Amino acid sequence: MKKEVEVAIIGAGSAGLYALSQVKKETDNFLLINDGPYGTTCARVGCMPSKSLIRIAEYYHSREDFEKSGIKNANALEVSIPDVLQRVRDHRDLLVKGNIKHSITRLGDKVLSGKAEFINRNTLKVGDNEIVAKKIIIATGSTPVFDPKWEAFKEHILTTDELFEQEDLPPT
């Protein structure tokens, strides 16, 4: 398929979605291209799941004040790490799948999934598609990297992309 648009936006993360909001004010002749999971880094693997995990930790920590409020046996509370991580994932999925993914999928044919490659200054290839755009916004975001010297320890390293997918934490 060959498609011509005013603006092609590569990336549907925070920057790409902000760019989209601004582009939509000027034209409806755009295409949003995304390779990988929908949802911003912040919502999927960054600040939002981190804040959810911190809030659960705060709940547990507040048990120290229970006695002052007349709540007894706070020392008997236990943390189930698998249940905590599941709650964090559930909260994350509500944010990503409920809000972000819905706002992207309702764009219909103005969204294209796949890796964008430049053919020339104004032409992109996405799979079998050729996209010609007067303007192209690159908002591809970031991905975790680690020093190649750590390769021998890779099985012991969790990046932000992997942390919240764990069903349990490894023993200490």
Side-chain angles (χ1 to χ4, degrees), residues 17 25 30-31 34 42 45 52 81 109 129 153 163:
L17 294 178
K25 292 177 184 178
F30 63 85
L31 183 65
N34 191 64
C42 180
V45 296
S52 185
I81 298 297
D109 65 352
N129 302 293
F153 306 103
L163 176 63

Side-chain angles (χ1 to χ4, degrees), residues 43-44 48-49 52-53 56 82-99 164-166:
R44 284 186 312 99
M48 291 182 186
S52 185
L53 184 59
I56 293 168
D83 291 344
V84 167
L85 292 171
Q86 184 61 54
R87 172 67 177 127
V88 170
R89 284 191 300 277
D90 289 347
H91 187 233
R92 180 236 11 232
D93 292 348
L94 177 70
L95 294 168
V96 172
K97 292 178 183 166
N99 298 333
F164 297 110
E165 295 305 316
Q166 302 301 301

Side-chain angles (χ1 to χ4, degrees), residues 4-172:
E4 294 186 23
V5 295
E6 288 286 321
V7 182
I9 303 167
I10 305 171
S14 297
L17 294 178
Y18 179 75
L20 174 64
S21 73
Q22 299 307 299
V23 166
K24 286 169 65 176
K25 292 177 184 178
E26 302 297 324
T27 183
D28 65 349
N29 188 14
F30 63 85
L31 183 65
L32 179 64
I33 303 165
N34 191 64
D35 183 35
Y38 284 101
T40 66
T41 298
C42 180
R44 284 186 312 99
V45 296
C47 47
M48 291 182 186
S50 296
K51 287 177 182 176
S52 185
L53 184 59
I54 289 167
R55 184 65 183 133
I56 293 168
E58 288 172 343
Y59 287 154
Y60 184 68
H61 180 71
S62 68
R63 79 192 183 292
E64 295 174 2
D65 295 328
F66 286 2
E67 192 77 28
K68 298 175 200 170
S69 302
I71 301 171
K72 306 293 182 193
N73 299 318
N75 293 344
L77 293 176
E78 294 180 38
V79 175
S80 166
I81 298 297
D83 291 344
V84 167
L85 292 171
Q86 184 61 54
R87 172 67 177 127
V88 170
R89 284 191 300 277
D90 289 347
H91 187 233
R92 180 236 11 232
D93 292 348
L94 177 70
L95 294 168
V96 172
K97 292 178 183 166
N99 298 333
I100 296 169
K101 191 167 183 181
H102 174 73
S103 69
I104 293 170
T105 56
R106 74 176 178 206
L107 295 172
D109 65 352
K110 294 181 182 290
V111 177
L112 184 59
S113 292
K115 182 178 180 182
E117 298 178 45
F118 278 88
I119 302 300
N120 62 44
R121 170 182 180 161
N122 293 91
T123 308
L124 299 168
K125 181 179 178 192
V126 183
D128 294 332
N129 302 293
E130 186 175 296
I131 311 303
V132 178
K134 290 183 181 176
K135 297 177 183 171
I136 299 173
I137 298 172
I138 302 171
T140 54
S142 63
T143 186
V145 296
F146 65 94
D147 192 307
K149 292 182 270 186
W150 300 351
E151 187 68 35
F153 306 103
K154 188 174 181 177
E155 68 188 50
H156 301 289
I157 297 173
L158 289 176
T159 69
T160 53
D161 283 354
E162 301 157 338
L163 176 63
F164 297 110
E165 295 305 316
Q166 302 301 301
E167 292 186 15
D168 199 356
L169 295 179
T172 55

